[in-house]
Amino acid sequence: MRSLPVLLAAAALAYAQSAQPPAPVIPPDVDAHLDVEYSNVGQRVAMDIFRPKAPGPNPTVVAIHGGGFRAGSRASYIPLCIKLAQKGYAAATVQYRLAPRHQFPAAVEDVKAAVRFLRANAARYGVDPNRIGTIGGSAGGHLALMLGLTGPMRIFEGSGPNLDQSSAVQAVVNYYGPTDFTQSYGKSVDAAEVLPMFLGGGLLHERRFHIQASPLYYVTPQAAPTLTIHGTEDKYVAYEHALWLTSKLLSAEVPAELETLSGAGHGFKGADAEKAEARAIAWFDRWLKPAAQTRVLVSDHGPRGEVVAMLWPSGQELWTRPNKRGHDVQPLPNGNVLYTVGPDAKVIEFDPKTGKEVWTCCEKLQHPLAAQRLANGNTLIGDPKAGRVFEVNPAGAQVWEYANADLGNMRTRNSHRTATNTTLVAVEADAKLIELDRNGKIVWQWQAPEGNKRRMYMGRRLANGNTMMSLSDPGEVVEVDPAGKVVRSIGGAAGDIRFGWASGFDLLPNGNLLIADYTGRRLVEVDPKGRVVNQLRTGPRTIATVAVVN
């Protein structure tokens, strides 16, 4: 004969799977897509999606109900999802397979499939695939944490649909979710009943599974920003679970906060519920509705060989264009992009709106690395294989040239015209910057003290008359005055910031400097005092030049 707890659990399961809650009242400014199947592995599972009437894409929140992994209904989060839709979010409340019939990791696999489904169908449901967060309470909090902590990993993806999509989320709100199941027994009124159903046995027999199912053991620096809200008098999930998690996230330098509700129990009510909801929405506003970003272009000289338009500081890629590992890129006032394709001996102007090349230059090029569209409509080109820097008009006719064997054999990199109509040429092989007048006379130069032990990529004349240059070995950006004195250094052997090889750089609208760390494979934003404000690891991309789109 089955025990009463087992009978109650079976009854709860049957109700959760069969009961149909009344249809929600949908406000006129919200679109609803109800009972949308997102997976059918072992059991059909569905979600209800709510979104603004206005077209997307919208930041998105996945809401995950609680119920001890064995009960509960996605309908419990419909009011919050509607409220989020009225605040400009797409929001989906999801069902998942329940214990004891479906044990861990079935529920985790389901919520991951839900995120993948939303990304795969982003256009249909107004979802921004780059800005997805999740919220859950109790068991739902645990599942939300598993999304936030294991997103970059391929673990727990299961065999559901849309496996070509990522299940990672960009923000987590955890209401009193358990974080270490090995510490649950003795501190919870129902852990001894619930966890064996979910994990296939108690701690004595399934300790390894208890660890494997615990969010605390998946904390890495790649975890999503996480807000935990927990009451001090929780009898189901002890308050310590929140402390352990937040402390470990902060130790990994993951943005994490703990909102402690003094005297609150499991399941917030009244003022506690209102405070928790306000904090949750504010957290999503912070991480899923970032301030306006800056559009930048980068020239990927790595194996992918592409020009990339992206948003800074998120790194969201907007479009790419093959450049066969070219070096230079420049945004033009008309919205077009100028870039070099060294292996094809071409400089190309490209229209991102139409996807077409609108200008190509020039005959007799050998291997152009630098290109700059000038205010007069002409184009300055640096060809280090030919050992020359020259200017052509829109018809491709040459109007100025400086040629010198000392620049040949690929010894130079970036070239740039100044506001006073002189030309700066970075002689990479000698770690030297030369400034040429229209007659080809060197009127100023600066060489790194270490000489040819270093390499120089770029030089730019600043509005204050100083000159900024980028160097390697060690990676450094230096600013020197007209007398050649270094007045500012970012990186270098003595700096707190260490670059592999500082290559391209540009000024952001806020006055900060955006630097490409070529071999470090990252973009770094520093303020005028040389402090890191933002940085982005670029993975396989090796960035030669970065240019801000004004």
Side-chain angles (χ1 to χ4, degrees), residues 2 23 85 107 115 164 177 258 262 292 294 383 397 412 486 496 505 511 530 541:
R2 292 186 293 176
V115 175
D164 59 322
L258 171 58
S262 181
T294 301
D383 187 340
T412 61
V486 175
D496 290 335
F505 59 83
R541 296 202 183 279

Side-chain angles (χ1 to χ4, degrees), residues 59 125 143 145 186-187 192 235 366 380 389 407 418 485 519 542:
Y125 296 112
L143 296 173
L145 288 172
K187 297 182 180 180
K235 305 303 182 185
Q366 295 186 33
L380 182 72
V389 179
L407 305 184
T418 71
K485 179 183 177 182
T519 55
T542 305

Side-chain angles (χ1 to χ4, degrees), residues 426-501:
V427 185
E428 181 191 58
D430 294 333
K432 179 172 64 176
L433 187 75
I434 61 174
E435 181 178 2
L436 306 166
D437 66 13
R438 294 295 289 178
N439 297 317
K441 179 183 177 181
I442 297 177
V443 296
W444 184 86
Q445 64 179 321
W446 185 87
Q447 183 169 24
E450 299 84 353
N452 60 12
K453 293 181 180 179
R454 304 183 75 179
R455 295 289 183 268
M456 179 177 292
Y457 184 78
M458 176 182 285
R460 292 287 187 269
R461 182 62 43 79
L462 304 179
N464 62 6
N466 292 346
T467 305
M468 186 168 281
M469 294 160 281
S470 56
L471 296 159
S472 72
D473 306 310
E476 183 179 14
V477 174
V478 296
E479 180 181 343
V480 303
D481 65 17
K485 179 183 177 182
V486 175
V487 297
R488 182 184 182 199
S489 170
I490 303 168
D496 290 335
I497 310 170
R498 296 299 177 94
F499 298 114
W501 183 335

Side-chain angles (χ1 to χ4, degrees), residues 75-321:
S76 62
Y77 268 119
I78 286 178
L80 175 62
C81 288
I82 290 175
K83 183 177 292 187
L84 286 167
Q86 291 179 311
K87 292 180 177 292
Y89 290 86
T93 177
V94 303
Q95 167 195 8
Y96 53 89
R97 286 173 288 173
L98 299 173
R101 173 178 290 181
H102 301 286
Q103 298 175 353
F104 174 83
V108 182
E109 292 172 352
D110 283 349
V111 296
K112 282 179 168 285
V115 175
R116 297 197 308 267
F117 174 87
L118 289 169
R119 280 204 169 93
N121 296 275
R124 181 177 182 182
Y125 296 112
V127 168
D128 185 338
N130 298 295
R131 294 184 292 165
I132 298 180
T134 184
I135 185 172
S138 193
H142 165 274
L143 296 173
L145 288 172
M146 293 297 280
L147 285 175
L149 297 170
T150 68
M153 312 172 192
R154 295 303 299 173
I155 192 170
F156 304 136
E157 293 295 342
S159 56
N162 304 305
L163 288 171
D164 59 322
Q165 301 291 325
S166 168
S167 65
V169 295
Q170 286 66 58
V172 175
V173 175
N174 159 42
Y175 281 15
Y176 41 79
T179 63
D180 185 352
F181 288 132
T182 69
Q183 302 295 321
S184 292
Y185 296 89
K187 297 182 180 180
S188 166
V189 297
D190 70 348
E193 174 191 344
V194 170
L195 293 186
M197 293 185 192
F198 182 52
L199 299 173
L203 187 59
L204 178 64
H205 296 286
E206 293 289 352
R207 183 177 183 85
R208 182 179 176 186
F209 230 37
H210 281 64
I211 294 172
Q212 190 176 351
S214 296
L216 196 64
Y217 296 93
Y218 296 98
V219 172
T220 70
Q222 287 74 46
T226 300
L227 168 67
T228 293
I229 308 177
H230 212 122
T232 58
E233 298 301 318
D234 195 320
K235 305 303 182 185
Y236 289 82
V237 179
Y239 175 67
E240 287 84 356
H241 285 259
L243 296 174
W244 299 330
L245 176 73
T246 305
S247 176
K248 195 166 183 179
L249 285 167
L250 291 174
S251 295
E253 297 196 355
V254 176
E257 293 181 12
L258 171 58
E259 179 72 37
T260 299
L261 299 183
S262 181
H266 197 75
F268 303 138
K269 297 177 176 63
D272 287 333
E274 293 176 4
K275 182 177 182 180
E277 184 178 281
R279 282 286 279 125
I281 293 174
W283 189 257
F284 290 135
D285 286 346
R286 175 180 174 185
W287 293 105
L288 302 182
K289 288 185 172 181
Q293 299 191 71
T294 301
R295 190 179 297 242
V296 301
L297 298 172
V298 300
S299 178
D300 180 0
H301 184 57
R304 291 188 178 181
E306 293 175 324
V307 171
V308 185
M310 64 172 60
L311 296 178
W312 181 260
S314 71
Q316 178 185 343
E317 296 188 0
L318 305 175
W319 55 260
T320 62
R321 174 82 173 176

